[in-house]
Amino acid sequence: DIVMTQTPLSSPVTLGQPASISCRSSQSLVHSDGNTYLSWLQQRPGQPPRLLIYKISNRFSGVPDRFSGSGAGTDFTLKISRVEAEDVGVYYCMQETQFPYSFGQGTKLEIK
Amino acid sequence: QVQLQESGPGLVKPSETLSLTCAVSGYSISSGYYWGWIRQPPGKGLEWIGNIYHSGTTYYNPSLESRVTISVDTSKNQFSLKLSSVTASDTAVYYCARRDAKDLWAFDIWGQGTMVTVSS
């Protein structure tokens, strides 16, 4: 099984400042079809998860452009250019390259 | 607008079978996509349970495979989860979600989730 490891697990950020979350997989997420099925999800308090980024760097419909994803192979990053109050929550990376699909432990983003 | 809504008992006794249904509105299940179940124990992270394609093909997490059945009812436009021989460790919020299988290849639409407690 592929293990997803996120760092940090908690990230206090000042409003308007950038934030970055790292996600590392225990093996390459490049699928045999050439795509990399790495997504980022946001879970606000009391809400279901919400898709932010798919296939490493593609923003889902309606996601603000302050969110961006990057990476390749086993190392991936979610960046928020300027944190807003509504960004508070837990962020998960998820791999869907290989069964069973797996999630990172989650990174809690909070405002300083 | 596509919406998913989970339903089922909020309390299940140990050793019994947990049964949940996800009603889909705004889209016909038989038209395509994968449909999945994901759970989240209180205060913890997410765990993928399994997927089903509209044709009925299923994919399960090996950690749960011996106890899980996911099925689809296209006539009712819904899909279901059954988890047998439950224990307290199965206590969680259970989410159903749609997985795009054309472009995004990701879970793009989620239900609100339903809390299931396993207790006598």
Side-chain angles (χ1 to χ4, degrees):
Chain A
D1 295 5
I2 296 177
V3 177
M4 306 295 287
T5 304
Q6 290 181 227
T7 54
L9 298 184
S10 178
S11 180
V13 183
T14 301
L15 286 174
Q17 293 301 301
S20 180
I21 300 170
S22 174
C23 175
R24 178 166 290 178
S25 57
S26 59
Q27 54 187 277
S28 173
L29 296 187
V30 179
H31 193 274
S32 56
D33 65 8
N35 289 305
T36 299
Y37 298 109
L38 184 284
S39 304
W40 289 95
L41 302 159
Q42 176 197 59
Q43 188 173 33
R44 290 170 172 153
Q47 295 294 312
R50 165 200 178 199
L51 179 65
L52 293 177
I53 303 284
Y54 62 94
K55 288 193 287 186
I56 302 178
S57 60
N58 296 275
R59 265 190 308 276
F60 184 51
S61 174
V63 174
D65 60 8
R66 64 179 182 274
F67 289 93
S68 64
S70 63
T74 61
D75 288 287
F76 306 92
T77 303
L78 175 70
K79 291 184 178 178
I80 308 174
S81 59
R82 294 174 305 279
V83 171
E84 298 188 4
E86 66 178 17
D87 299 335
V88 166
V90 180
Y91 292 79
Y92 295 93
C93 59
M94 177 186 185
Q95 70 82 18
E96 294 165 82
T97 291
Q98 183 182 118
F99 289 115
Y101 299 159
S102 50
F103 297 87
Q105 319 95 300
T107 296
K108 188 173 185 178
L109 184 75
E110 49 195 7
I111 305 301
K112 278 184 186 174
Chain B
Q1 183 180 356
V2 182
Q3 292 185 315
L4 283 66
Q5 180 65 58
E6 306 88 348
S7 62
L11 181 64
V12 181
K13 289 183 168 54
S15 80
E16 295 190 345
T17 296
L18 177 161
S19 296
L20 297 175
T21 296
C22 181
V24 180
S25 59
Y27 185 83
S28 172
I29 281 185
S30 58
S31 296
Y33 288 98
Y34 287 89
W35 306 89
W37 289 97
I38 299 97
R39 70 180 182 178
Q40 184 172 38
K44 297 188 177 180
L46 300 163
E47 179 182 31
W48 174 73
I49 299 171
N51 287 357
I52 188 166
Y53 195 49
H54 69 93
S55 61
T57 302
T58 52
Y59 306 86
Y60 298 137
N61 191 324
S63 67
L64 298 167
E65 188 165 14
S66 62
R67 300 192 291 129
V68 171
T69 302
I70 297 176
S71 59
V72 64
D73 186 339
T74 54
S75 67
K76 294 182 178 179
N77 214 41
Q78 64 186 34
F79 61 106
S80 300
L81 168 71
K82 290 188 186 300
L83 182 65
S84 64
S85 304
V86 297
T87 67
S89 62
D90 294 311
T91 294
V93 175
Y94 285 76
Y95 296 101
C96 60
R98 185 184 81 168
R99 184 169 188 263
D100 175 88
K102 297 178 182 177
D103 178 33
L104 279 64
W105 293 92
F107 286 105
D108 61 348
I109 298 175
W110 293 65
Q112 285 298 308
T114 187
M115 179 69 201
V116 179
T117 301
V118 178
S119 175
S120 55

